[in-house]
Amino acid sequence: MDAIEDPADVLGPGYQTRRLPLNGDLEAVLVRRRARTPNRGAVLYVHGFADYFFQTHVAEHFTERHFDFYAVDLRAYGRSLRPGQVACYVTDLTEHFEEIDAAVRVIREEDGHRSLVVVGHSTGGLTASLWAHERRDDDVLDALVLNSPWLDLAEPWLLRTAGTVLVRAVGRVAPRLVLRPGLGPVYGHSIHRDHHGEWDFDTAWKPVEAFPVHAGWLRAVRRGHARLHRGLDVRVPVLLLRSGRSHLRARAWTAEAMTADTVLDVAHMQRWGPKIGRDVRIVAVEGGMHDLFLSAEPVRRRALAEVDEFLDSI
């Protein structure tokens, strides 16, 4: 299906969007910011759960380094969320391969880029890793950067094992069942400027406590985890960035939330990261929050410097 261009975006001058029609009357939205001299290729950003692309400083970082920058708002997320849709809902993460493929076609075939780096955050990091594995023979990807990817359930052992068996059963027969009304306020309060953070984003697209977690979606994530744990064969260099530590299961914000991953367990990233491919570099960014690129300025500067060093080395 053809992409449909809309020259304006909510992020303002310098940002354009393209609607990417998908099967079943669905669509995704591709955001683009061009570099003045895009002689290093393109970067495609894939967001996480209950998220969308708003991090203009990330786009500008890459365009200043001569990459054209793209970000895809996946189906039923952000710019792609339509009235009546269940937000952030799929029953198989491979459904998102359609919009990543559509974005790559625009980047490579229409915009003519020969080199592509995919950057995936959180659930987007898991989805991007699975996609890179499936497209490993297609020569469409040159490097993969993972920003705090979701590689396992951040819960105690019993919930990761017996709990997963239950989720798989319930997710099969009652996929729309709400398992949790959200993810709690701690992380959202750490990043939104109305609370303790420094970032402004649309809380209709990214609620402070996230969207409800449905059984069918969590089943899809756990199936993705299982596939990754068996071992993927991503054949391009991979950089996995994680915080230096996690601070989990807090019910209310404290200052500690500003210097740790309050969403995922960094030990899982360290354990499962090598399963992604043949060349995986794991770097701990001390003082980082869950989205390392939204952490305090010195921390996010270091995280982006690690990306620069990685891309310069390949």
Side-chain angles (χ1 to χ4, degrees):
M1 298 182 182
D2 294 332
I4 303 171
E5 185 161 6
D6 179 350
D9 184 59
V10 295
L11 297 179
Y15 293 89
Q16 297 86 35
T17 59
R18 296 191 69 133
R19 290 184 287 133
L20 305 175
L22 307 174
N23 291 323
D25 295 324
L26 298 170
E27 70 176 19
V29 175
L30 185 65
V31 181
R32 180 178 62 193
R33 180 179 177 87
R34 290 195 181 277
R36 289 188 177 181
T37 54
N39 53 26
R40 298 190 66 185
V43 169
L44 173 63
Y45 183 94
V46 183
H47 61 75
F49 173 68
D51 208 352
Y52 74 101
F53 181 73
F54 64 91
Q55 299 92 330
T56 55
H57 65 289
V58 175
E60 290 158 14
H61 177 88
F62 285 108
T63 56
E64 288 168 2
R65 285 152 183 80
H66 309 292
F67 292 93
D68 272 353
F69 182 87
Y70 302 78
V72 60
D73 278 11
L74 302 170
R75 65 185 70 190
Y77 283 86
R79 298 164 180 81
S80 306
L81 184 60
R82 298 292 173 260
Q85 285 185 316
V86 178
C88 315
Y89 180 76
V90 292
T91 56
D92 194 317
L93 293 182
T94 63
E95 293 178 46
H96 289 311
F97 292 3
E98 184 182 6
E99 45 260 56
I100 298 176
D101 288 339
V104 171
R105 280 194 296 273
V106 171
I107 292 167
R108 285 194 169 275
E109 296 176 13
E110 297 188 28
D111 290 353
H113 287 294
R114 297 182 179 179
S115 177
L116 174 64
V117 178
V118 169
V119 178
H121 169 58
S122 196
T123 315
L126 172 62
T127 302
S129 297
L130 297 169
W131 172 83
H133 168 78
E134 290 298 321
R135 301 292 181 264
R136 62 192 182 277
D137 293 322
D138 296 348
D139 195 29
V140 296
L141 182 65
D142 296 276
L144 180 64
V145 175
L146 304 175
N147 170 7
S148 301
W150 190 12
L151 305 186
D152 205 346
L153 198 63
E155 298 290 350
W157 177 83
L158 186 62
L159 289 178
R160 297 201 311 271
T161 54
T164 293
V165 174
L166 181 61
V167 164
R168 287 178 174 173
V170 173
R172 186 181 302 111
V173 299
R176 297 289 183 94
L177 179 69
V178 174
L179 299 179
R180 292 180 63 177
L183 301 181
V186 175
Y187 179 58
H189 285 184
S190 300
I191 60 175
H192 199 280
R193 71 178 185 182
D194 287 350
H195 300 277
H196 303 280
E198 58 180 294
W199 308 102
D200 187 24
F201 49 83
D202 189 334
T203 54
W205 289 350
K206 181 179 175 63
V208 168
E209 298 198 24
F211 287 105
V213 175
H214 294 86
W217 176 83
L218 187 56
R219 175 177 179 263
V221 170
R222 292 305 280 155
R223 292 175 68 192
H225 287 158
R227 180 66 193 89
L228 186 145
H229 294 174
R230 292 194 297 271
L232 304 180
D233 185 22
V234 174
R235 297 175 185 171
V236 299
V238 179
L239 173 65
L240 190 160
L241 298 173
R242 64 168 180 83
S243 176
R245 65 189 181 90
S246 291
H247 175 60
L248 302 174
R249 286 175 281 284
R251 295 186 178 182
W253 182 91
T254 65
E256 192 174 3
M258 304 301 290
T259 58
D261 193 323
T262 58
V263 179
L264 299 179
D265 191 332
V266 298
H268 294 161
M269 302 175 205
Q270 192 71 34
R271 176 183 180 185
W272 297 115
K275 289 284 190 176
I276 294 171
R278 307 175 182 185
D279 180 7
V280 180
R281 187 181 310 176
I282 301 176
V283 176
V285 181
E286 297 298 331
M289 292 193 292
H290 176 55
D291 188 336
L292 295 163
F293 300 158
L294 298 184
S295 300
E297 196 275 336
V299 179
R300 64 180 181 260
R301 186 172 65 240
R302 185 196 161 195
L304 288 166
E306 291 287 352
V307 177
D308 294 342
E309 181 181 338
F310 168 70
L311 295 179
D312 287 346
S313 71
I314 60 176

